[in-house]
Amino acid sequence: MTIPETLQDAILSASAKFSKPAGKVFQYGTAGFRMKAALLDSVVFRVGLLAALRSRRMNGQVIGVMITASHNPPEDNGVKLVDPMGEMLEASWEVHATKLANATSDEALVEIYGKLVKDLGIKPDVKPRIVFARDTRASGPRLVTALVEALKATETDYTDYKILTTPQLHYITRCLNTKGTPFDYGEPTEQGYYEKTAAAFKKAMGNRRPNGGVAVDCANGVGGPKLRELIKYLPSASAGGLDIKVVNDDVLSPERLNYQCGADFVKTGQRAPPSSQAAPLSRCASLDGDADRIVYYFIDGDSNFHLLDGDRIATLAALFIGDLARSAGLSEKLKVGVVQTAYANGASTDYITSHLKLPVICTPTGVKHLHHAATKFDVGVYFEANGHGTVIFSDLALKRIGKYEPKSPAQSESLEILRALTQLINQTVGDALSDLLLVEVILAHKGWGPKEWDLTYTDLPNRLIRVEVSDCGIFKAVDAERKLESPPRLQNNIDALVGKYKNGRSFVRPSGTEVAVRVYAEAATRGEAEELATKVAELVSKAGL
């Protein structure tokens, strides 16, 4: 089917304002498109075209577009699509995004667009609907201009939600598409997000009080102002609520975004941000630049740093939800499982399988892989070690939790907490603000501080190293990214190194967001983990020259 000439002309005219940089090849990956912001204008315009196509293909359901580069440096930016239920873009459409982004001219772009309309059976009479938002990066408003040009050219209905966290846009997208259905997810506004989250937190806490406060490093990103807004809806510390101290929330100086702060800095460097002045044994947490990741940490009485990362959050959530299911009388009706990646510490996997007696699935890195695997359980807990994750309750699980009749007051109490958790947790995607409150609920009910949480198992010492290479494409990972099939012989050399260390494990994977390769290693002692990581990084560096 040929697209109308008026539409062709509109796309050609708008596209001419956003020329594709010569010689650049773009790839829609785990995080959508992400790169130096100066290269993104044509990409964002073309993603706008794809978003309209996706909405039409989904019979006019709302599609989300998020402009963010998460934990990347301030000069970077990115763009990704959100599907109707708040999930990541369907994988089969990633290739369409890549084709559009790489069209060599405006005419070639229209040709590819027309072919997609024909091949995908797009109905031209369906009105596309798009919602979009951005983080606090200085390049955001310019890139929004490119997006809006595409939406206008395709006669799309759109709403600009201005500055939001990534999970808030996912939430709003799902709310809009479920409004008035049995699966209504909530009020599709930023205020609706705060009201739902805060009400669920109060219910989940019950009569428990937090054990002290928590200092939250917001990476000088969008999480700062949004957390401050959420706090307005929560009970105050003086009224028995949670005392949240917000730090690193300077969004007026864009160059400070993710600089020596944030979840990626803490996880990678295995240390607190220099700006942290936390007292010994006080709880601290760090978000990333778009607030879809969170890690906890604390300093002990001997000034030693202890990281409580995504593995720790996953095991804490699985432990608590498993306990609640048992005490509510639902353990036989709910299959709880955990999804991890190769980055998960080996000690956490052993704790889940041996102590919690729960099944574990390992998937490639990337939330879309974990999210999909988590749907295989009634209650699927998934977190990457970097702190990106959530808990998914299947429709059947929600029905059983909602309709179950408790047999005792104890069952009733556990059931009420479990029901509150289904509302507190943002099931669309990893959400640092929602996950923060989830952790605080669990610690309050367990009566734990960070030290007790840390004592549930002992992490194997580990090290993550970023290695810059000239071409990420030569590194091909298989077996849920735990092995390399190319370059030739590199995996054999890594295996030989690993075999020399007690409890040794190492893997290499190309980054989905940078021109770099990440090397992970763990071993029985910190010195051995450092040594193993360094030696594997040297092998990678030589192979990637």
Side-chain angles (χ1 to χ4, degrees):
M1 185 184 95
T2 306
I3 61 175
E5 197 168 312
T6 53
L7 177 57
Q8 289 187 43
D9 290 345
I11 293 174
L12 279 170
S13 175
S15 180
K17 303 172 187 175
F18 310 104
S19 300
K20 177 183 178 293
K24 292 292 180 182
V25 178
F26 304 116
Q27 176 74 42
Y28 194 102
T30 302
F33 293 109
R34 195 178 291 180
M35 65 201 77
K36 296 292 180 222
L39 301 173
L40 261 175
D41 298 73
S42 68
V43 173
V44 173
F45 173 80
R46 295 165 186 211
V47 166
L49 298 180
L50 186 73
L53 283 178
R54 181 69 176 157
S55 180
R56 280 197 165 105
R57 184 67 182 83
M58 304 300 285
N59 294 315
Q61 289 189 88
V62 176
I63 297 297
V65 182
M66 187 69 202
I67 296 175
T68 180
S70 187
H71 61 278
N72 280 39
E75 62 271 18
D76 290 2
N77 215 324
V79 61
K80 55 186 173 184
L81 295 188
V82 180
D83 258 357
M85 289 302 284
E87 71 274 51
M88 307 300 285
L89 176 67
E90 183 184 308
S92 64
W93 275 63
E94 293 178 8
V95 65
H96 307 325
T98 299
K99 282 181 181 176
L100 285 170
N102 288 301
T104 53
S105 66
D106 300 333
E107 291 73 21
L109 175 65
V110 170
E111 186 178 333
I112 293 169
Y113 182 90
K115 190 172 188 310
L116 286 176
V117 168
K118 179 182 177 183
D119 293 349
L120 297 170
I122 304 295
K123 298 173 184 175
D125 55 330
V126 174
K127 189 74 170 174
R129 296 189 296 155
I130 302 297
V131 294
F132 61 88
R134 60 184 174 86
D135 68 13
T136 55
R137 291 165 192 271
S139 57
R142 190 191 82 238
L143 296 175
V144 162
T145 300
L147 175 64
V148 169
E149 286 287 339
L151 302 181
K152 286 179 177 177
T154 51
E155 298 183 344
T156 298
D157 285 344
Y158 63 86
T159 304
D160 180 359
Y161 279 86
K162 309 297 182 184
I163 293 175
L164 291 178
T165 70
T166 294
Q168 286 177 330
L169 185 74
H170 282 255
Y171 163 86
I172 286 170
T173 303
R174 182 164 178 163
C175 289
L176 287 166
N177 287 308
T178 56
K179 197 72 179 165
T181 75
F183 304 102
D184 193 319
Y185 198 62
E187 190 60 35
T189 62
E190 185 179 348
Q191 182 179 339
Y193 168 92
Y194 298 130
E195 289 174 343
K196 177 182 178 180
T197 305
F201 176 71
K202 292 173 198 171
K203 274 191 179 178
M205 286 293 283
N207 59 4
R208 300 300 199 282
R209 291 202 168 199
N211 180 19
V214 58
V216 184
D217 153 33
C218 296
N220 293 317
V222 64
K226 301 311 179 186
L227 177 55
R228 286 195 182 278
E229 195 61 31
L230 174 59
I231 289 170
K232 296 176 185 176
Y233 293 81
L234 299 173
S236 66
S238 60
L242 178 62
D243 182 14
I244 301 175
K245 180 186 177 185
V246 180
V247 297
N248 292 328
D249 63 334
D250 179 6
V251 295
L252 299 179
S253 307
E255 71 279 1
R256 296 188 64 187
L257 174 67
N258 295 320
Y259 180 69
Q260 294 197 326
C261 60
D264 196 57
F265 175 87
V266 172
K267 171 65 177 170
T268 305
Q270 302 271 315
R271 62 191 180 103
S275 55
S276 174
Q277 298 174 350
L281 298 180
S282 62
R283 290 195 304 285
C284 302
S286 284
L287 320 182
D288 69 337
D290 64 339
D292 65 357
R293 295 185 192 182
I294 184 170
V295 296
Y296 270 73
Y297 50 95
F298 70 98
I299 308 297
D300 67 21
D302 296 322
S303 299
N304 296 312
F305 172 83
H306 296 258
L307 178 67
L308 298 159
D309 61 6
D311 296 342
R312 293 281 181 177
I313 298 172
T315 53
L316 186 71
L319 166 66
F320 189 59
I321 291 170
D323 285 349
L324 284 177
R326 277 188 292 277
S327 55
L330 280 167
S331 57
E332 297 301 315
K333 298 180 184 295
L334 296 177
K335 183 183 179 186
V336 181
V338 180
V339 184
Q340 297 183 315
T341 71
Y343 284 116
N345 194 281
S348 73
T349 309
D350 184 62
Y351 174 79
I352 295 164
T353 55
S354 302
H355 183 76
L356 302 184
K357 308 293 184 186
L358 295 175
V360 174
I361 295 175
C362 186
T363 74
T365 303
V367 65
K368 62 186 176 184
H369 302 297
L370 287 101
H371 195 94
H372 177 72
T375 62
K376 293 179 168 58
F377 298 110
D378 295 324
V379 183
V381 180
Y382 77 80
F383 274 85
E384 294 181 286
N386 63 22
H388 192 160
T390 190
V391 182
I392 302 176
F393 296 83
S394 70
D395 290 340
L396 180 61
L398 291 172
K399 185 180 288 186
R400 285 175 172 167
I401 292 168
K403 292 189 173 182
Y404 184 72
E405 294 288 343
K407 309 293 190 296
S408 69
Q411 282 195 1
S412 180
E413 182 184 356
S414 294
L415 191 62
E416 283 305 305
I417 298 167
L418 194 54
R419 286 170 178 166
L421 291 189
T422 68
Q423 297 297 304
L424 174 63
I425 295 163
N426 186 345
Q427 296 178 55
T428 65
V429 73
D431 182 340
L433 303 186
S434 156
D435 291 339
L436 169 76
L437 297 184
L438 171 64
V439 168
E440 292 300 323
V441 164
I442 299 172
L443 294 179
H445 279 275
K446 301 292 280 184
W448 285 357
K451 185 178 179 181
E452 290 78 15
W453 179 11
D454 191 44
L455 288 172
T456 49
Y457 61 87
T458 302
D459 269 327
L460 287 167
N462 58 89
R463 183 78 166 94
L464 180 64
I465 296 179
R466 177 180 175 276
V467 183
E468 291 191 8
V469 294
S470 56
D471 180 12
C472 280
I474 66 171
F475 297 90
K476 303 289 184 187
V478 294
D479 186 23
E481 301 179 326
R482 290 175 285 193
K483 299 284 183 183
L484 284 176
E485 66 175 11
S486 72
R489 296 182 299 281
L490 181 55
Q491 186 60 52
N492 290 341
N493 294 336
I494 293 171
D495 291 342
L497 273 176
V498 167
K500 297 176 181 178
Y501 297 87
K502 183 181 178 183
N503 295 334
R505 183 171 75 93
S506 183
F507 68 90
V508 173
R509 65 173 288 273
S511 171
T513 58
E514 303 171 276
V515 186
V517 170
R518 300 190 185 276
V519 172
Y520 177 89
E522 61 187 32
T525 68
R526 179 154 301 283
E528 289 178 322
E530 290 273 359
E531 187 176 284
L532 177 57
T534 301
K535 288 186 175 181
V536 173
E538 288 171 357
L539 290 176
V540 169
S541 187
K542 288 176 185 174
L545 288 176

